[in-house]
Amino acid sequence: MTTTPPGHTLITGASSGIGAALAREYARRGRPLVLTARRVDRLQALADELSAQVPVEIIAADLADPATPSALFAEAQRRGLFVATLVNNAGYGVPGRYLSADWDTHARFLQVMLTAVAELTHRFLPSMEAAGHGRILNVASMAGLVPASAGHTLYGASKAWMIKFSEALAQESRPRGVHVTALCPGFTLTEFHDVTGTRDRVSRMSPGMWLDAAQVARAGVDAVEAGRVLCVPGWRYKLIRQMAKLLPDALMHRIVAARAKDFRDAE
């Protein structure tokens, strides 16, 4: 039986999609929230929705700014908030082949997807370990568990990094009472594909391949509470993960390359 840690749950990228679903799931479980994202209007709307269930703090922040992680931590400290659960959810994709975007675009992506995750974890983890309990839920992706395809070149690489980061951190922190989980959903019904301009492509996929954001959030929270290091929601994606482990690499690369045009812009 796990004990619910006191304190707040801080969720990055909470204004929509899986982040908003995670906020609703934690609110359903009675966890006070700290919600952060760039879009203040959406954050406020979500806070208004959930404040009848739990206390909700909002902090507008853009993780593409290298100064944001330290400023976010300082603001939480200033408000006297103990962050018992950190959810590193903020993320997006850069469509097209690697050289179709300039370096500044890639640099901002890496800041959000890697550096901010590492820094926020480094800043909030010590107080969890000092208290002897805590949770870190890193929202990765199936893209980090299967061979990469052309297009969105850094996305799969960033998610693979997040998975390995979570695995190592879980081993380090478990003896100190902190659970760390990498949540690896497949295609999920959010606005992600609208933002990346691939909605027309992915809409042609089988409906059975789509996960519901609430389903993903529930699976992720259950996993981190139970201390499971890796969470792959949905039986189809569990099967794909096993295929990726068992089939020869060359065959998996051919399969991914053949299907990539259905969900990736490689031009």
Side-chain angles (χ1 to χ4, degrees):
M1 179 178 177
T2 58
T3 301
T4 299
H8 284 71
T9 294
L10 189 156
I11 304 173
T12 68
S15 61
S16 64
I18 293 174
L22 283 162
R24 293 185 178 100
E25 181 63 24
Y26 275 111
R28 189 181 68 81
R29 299 180 189 219
R31 309 291 181 84
L33 297 170
V34 183
L35 307 179
T36 181
R38 292 179 297 110
R39 296 176 289 192
V40 182
D41 55 339
R42 291 200 179 191
L43 279 181
Q44 189 60 61
L46 185 59
D48 293 343
E49 173 192 335
L50 300 179
S51 58
Q53 297 174 258
V54 294
V56 182
E57 304 262 351
I58 64 171
I59 304 174
D62 182 0
L63 291 175
D65 181 348
T68 293
S70 62
L72 185 55
F73 176 75
E75 181 61 18
Q77 296 289 99
R78 188 188 70 79
R79 298 188 191 187
L81 305 175
F82 168 52
V83 173
T85 300
L86 171 64
V87 180
N88 287 306
N89 166 76
Y92 62 101
V94 177
R97 63 190 294 266
Y98 187 53
L99 294 181
S100 67
D102 61 29
W103 175 248
D104 286 346
T105 297
H106 291 313
R108 288 192 297 273
F109 175 88
L110 293 170
Q111 171 62 36
V112 172
M113 305 291 278
L114 277 72
T115 306
V117 171
E119 184 175 352
L120 287 171
T121 301
H122 195 270
R123 291 185 181 278
F124 284 104
L125 178 58
S127 60
M128 298 181 196
E129 291 193 348
H133 54 73
R135 307 286 185 263
I136 298 175
L137 179 60
N138 291 323
V139 180
S141 170
M142 274 297 295
L145 293 171
V146 298
S149 63
H152 293 242
T153 320
L154 293 177
Y155 186 80
S158 72
K159 295 304 188 180
W161 174 89
M162 186 176 279
I163 292 165
K164 294 301 182 185
F165 174 62
S166 301
E167 289 172 343
L169 202 64
Q171 294 186 49
E172 294 174 7
S173 299
R174 183 185 295 275
R176 297 168 176 83
V178 179
H179 295 174
V180 183
T181 297
L183 173 59
C184 302
F187 291 102
T188 305
L189 292 167
T190 69
E191 65 182 29
F192 176 90
H193 300 287
D194 298 310
V195 174
T196 60
T198 56
R199 173 61 61 191
D200 288 344
R201 279 191 178 86
V202 298
S203 294
R204 295 193 291 267
M205 292 176 58
S206 166
M209 295 301 295
W210 289 96
L211 300 172
D212 177 72
Q215 168 193 2
V216 170
R218 187 166 53 251
V221 178
D222 284 346
V224 75
E225 289 300 322
R228 297 197 299 273
V229 178
L230 194 70
C231 174
V232 179
W235 68 267
R236 288 178 176 82
Y237 289 105
K238 288 180 173 65
L239 179 61
I240 291 170
R241 183 194 173 211
Q242 291 304 313
M243 288 175 56
K245 292 168 66 176
L246 296 174
L247 293 178
D249 288 346
L251 177 57
M252 278 302 300
H253 280 288
R254 288 199 296 271
I255 292 171
V256 170
R259 294 301 307 278
K261 64 181 181 300
D262 295 337
F263 55 87
R264 285 284 188 267
D265 178 5
E267 297 301 323

